[in-house]
Amino acid sequence: MNIKRALISVSDKTGVVEFAKELHTRGVEIISTGGTAKLLADSGIPVKQVSEVTGFPEILGGRVKTLHPFIFGAILANFDEQSHIADLEEHSIIPIDMVVVNLYPFEEVQKQTRDEDTLIENIDIGGVALLRAAAKNHRNVVVVCDPNDYQKIIKLIDSCGDVPLHDRRMFALKAFYYTMNYDSTIHKVLSELFASEKYEHMTFEKFSSPQTNYEILDNVNEKLVKLSKYTEQATAITLGAIVVAGEPDLVIGFNDSLPLSMVNLKTSGGRICDLTGSTLVLRKLTNDMVRKLRESTFTTIAFEEIEDEEYAKDTLKGKELIRFSYTVDIPEVDKIPVAQMVGNIMLKKLVKPWNIFQLLLNFIPKNTLIAEQDDGFFKFEICTTNAFEILEKLLAMTEKMGTKIVNIYTNAEVDSLFTKICGERGINIFTF
């Protein structure tokens, strides 16, 4: 059998004892670290500590365990290179044929806390390096990051005495994808943490399109809006809070950070049934509003004031309730920095917060129409071709509903035909 030596170091220990036993019965030497080594030893599996291999103890509270030439040389050696083989012989490095690693559970930890020190300590370093090294050298080393693959690997070894190259490639791709997602989660969480705790929320923005995502972070000194707890919907809630600060009767719905629907409660008579999205932002969450939202699509509801918090929590079980507060008088803030992609260039501009439509349209893709109806509802439509086609769609829809468009706010270029049709119907056009 070609698999003679395996390094096993896992945070998720699901199935690892059984897997290690299977490897041991097939003559594989097991090397391990810390808690994994103890678990395997307590289960009666012969195991060699990494410190025995390196001749160097774990240091810095476990931050440095496997980062050593006796480990990484053993993993990265390419046996098609005679110089690599010579290096192994010269330095008495024994090759490692399999690396079984999964990482500190950063994803789970970040769901429980936003304590910076706790998050930092749960960022895996050695594990990521081991996976990337083994995945890079997958022709010589089998890399395993998913406990669901344990049984498959044993079956492959039993069927041919090895793990075929095709499967090694698949396991390597899985490892690269795993570490990519891991780093992506760390980047996302720490960016939001630093933006929310050290900087102003509104200066960390995400700009989404079907093809690309863009992020920008500016160093500023104070927040505009403070949230009662961490939420992935912080960007949407902050934007919504600024909108309703200037227009307290507005209620706005978002899909992620993209404004999707809006209504003026006073004009609509308190009707909200046509609002759509996953996140709702409003100034005051009344008991009447709670009842109306019970069966809604919204999973996150953010508010400044609440009539009866216990009633809301009981009625809206399963929905995330976030309270926001203002650290400054929003209408008195001169300008808010926002950013927008134009072609391949990131353009930043300053927007007055009291002009809510200009603010919203800076967070919406180019060529969007916001149509204000006479029943108090606002429709958001993105133009995939030209603005006139969307106008026709909106006119047909409102006619069917028995409502009328009174104002259109847009960041699209409108032509003479668009202007003519709006003029004939008494629709005001505001372009930004």
Side-chain angles (χ1 to χ4, degrees):
M1 189 180 75
N2 290 330
I3 311 296
K4 299 181 175 63
R5 205 163 182 242
L7 188 155
I8 304 177
S9 181
V10 293
S11 289
D12 178 1
K13 296 178 172 54
T14 303
V16 72
V17 171
E18 294 76 10
F19 183 49
K21 283 181 179 177
E22 297 282 4
L23 292 175
H24 171 64
T25 59
R26 288 159 177 79
V28 178
E29 179 186 12
I30 307 295
I31 305 166
S32 192
T33 63
T36 305
K38 184 177 186 307
L39 174 65
L40 299 182
D42 290 346
S43 301
I45 302 169
V47 59
K48 181 178 287 187
Q49 288 273 2
V50 163
S51 56
E52 296 179 56
V53 175
T54 63
F56 202 92
E58 295 182 10
I59 62 171
L60 305 182
R63 282 191 173 192
V64 178
K65 292 179 281 193
T66 58
L67 297 169
H68 193 283
F70 278 8
I71 299 298
F72 280 85
I75 294 170
L76 285 166
N78 180 358
F79 297 118
D80 291 331
E81 293 284 344
Q82 287 300 317
S83 63
H84 286 205
I85 296 173
D87 283 342
L88 294 182
E89 292 176 351
E90 179 182 353
H91 298 287
S92 301
I93 298 174
I94 303 172
I96 292 172
D97 310 299
M98 179 181 288
V99 170
V100 184
V101 169
N102 53 60
L103 306 174
Y104 294 166
F106 187 88
E107 174 69 36
E108 296 306 313
V109 172
Q110 65 90 17
K111 293 177 182 177
Q112 306 299 323
T113 182
R114 277 298 178 272
D115 177 71
E116 186 174 339
D117 290 340
T118 302
L119 290 171
I120 294 297
E121 283 307 311
N122 280 277
I123 295 176
D124 206 313
I125 303 300
V128 174
L130 289 168
L131 287 174
R132 287 179 60 81
K136 174 177 179 173
N137 198 29
H138 61 269
R139 288 178 178 271
N140 298 286
V141 181
V142 180
V143 58
V144 188
C145 63
D146 185 356
N148 291 321
D149 292 327
Y150 292 165
Q151 286 305 309
K152 178 180 180 179
I153 288 168
I154 296 300
K155 289 178 181 178
L156 289 171
I157 291 174
D158 287 346
S159 66
C160 64
D162 201 349
V163 176
L165 180 58
H166 170 78
D167 294 291
R168 287 172 178 251
R169 285 171 171 164
M170 292 303 101
F171 292 141
L173 287 175
K174 180 179 280 191
F176 281 128
Y177 186 77
Y178 176 47
T179 57
M180 177 189 73
N181 277 343
Y182 190 78
D183 284 339
S184 177
T185 299
I186 293 170
H187 175 267
K188 176 177 180 293
V189 170
L190 293 187
S191 293
E192 291 172 348
L193 177 69
F194 298 157
S196 63
E197 292 192 355
K198 299 185 185 303
Y199 306 119
E200 170 194 283
H201 266 304
M202 283 300 298
T203 58
F204 180 79
E205 297 129 9
K206 298 177 182 179
F207 306 91
S208 300
S209 72
Q211 294 84 26
T212 51
N213 290 316
Y214 302 94
E215 297 174 347
I216 188 164
L217 177 64
D218 281 344
N219 294 354
V220 294
N221 296 321
E222 58 183 25
K223 308 174 190 177
L224 298 180
V225 176
K226 182 179 179 181
L227 307 187
S228 59
K229 64 176 182 177
Y230 167 78
T231 173
E232 293 183 352
Q233 305 306 318
T235 300
I237 294 172
T238 303
L239 175 57
I242 292 173
V243 169
V244 300
E247 299 289 344
D249 292 321
L250 289 180
V251 178
I252 183 167
F254 292 83
N255 188 16
D256 291 327
S257 57
L258 191 68
L260 194 65
S261 60
M262 191 164 65
V263 66
N264 186 310
L265 292 175
K266 188 176 292 184
T267 310
S268 71
R271 186 167 60 92
I272 62 168
C273 58
D274 291 335
L275 286 174
T276 56
S278 58
T279 300
L280 189 76
V281 182
L282 70 166
R283 287 296 290 266
K284 184 171 182 178
L285 184 60
T286 64
N287 290 344
D288 178 61
M289 191 71 72
V290 166
R291 287 188 289 272
K292 292 175 180 177
L293 291 171
R294 181 166 44 194
E295 303 300 327
S296 71
T297 61
F298 297 104
T299 55
T300 301
I301 298 170
F303 52 87
E304 182 188 16
E305 301 176 38
I306 188 168
E307 183 176 349
D308 188 333
E309 190 166 0
E310 290 303 316
Y311 174 74
K313 287 180 179 179
D314 185 61
T315 305
L316 300 175
K317 284 180 180 177
K319 299 184 187 294
E320 183 181 43
L321 300 181
I322 305 288
R323 186 191 296 268
F324 61 81
S325 58
Y326 301 100
T327 61
V328 295
D329 188 349
I330 299 296
E332 291 186 2
V333 175
D334 184 32
K335 292 179 180 178
I336 295 173
V338 298
Q340 192 175 45
M341 286 301 298
V342 178
N344 294 319
I345 303 173
M346 178 76 81
L347 296 180
K348 293 175 61 180
K349 63 175 72 174
L350 297 174
V351 179
K352 293 182 180 296
W354 49 263
N355 191 328
I356 64 168
F357 297 104
Q358 183 185 11
L359 183 66
L360 287 171
L361 287 166
N362 274 284
F363 279 84
I364 297 176
K366 189 70 175 173
N367 298 323
T368 296
L369 300 184
I370 304 176
E372 181 180 359
Q373 300 173 179
D374 59 359
D375 64 350
F377 281 86
F378 296 78
K379 300 293 184 185
F380 292 70
E381 292 287 343
I382 299 174
C383 311
T384 54
T385 52
N386 60 68
F388 183 70
E389 289 188 11
I390 296 300
L391 176 62
E392 287 185 313
K393 175 183 174 181
L394 287 167
L395 290 172
M397 180 174 59
T398 52
E399 183 177 343
K400 184 178 180 180
M401 295 170 56
T403 60
K404 292 181 180 180
I405 299 174
V406 293
N407 295 314
I408 284 180
Y409 310 88
T410 183
N411 55 13
E413 294 183 8
V414 298
D415 57 21
S416 57
L417 181 58
F418 186 102
T419 304
K420 179 176 179 291
I421 295 298
C422 287
E424 291 173 349
R425 287 162 173 77
I427 301 171
N428 301 307
I429 305 171
F430 301 89
T431 59
F432 299 96

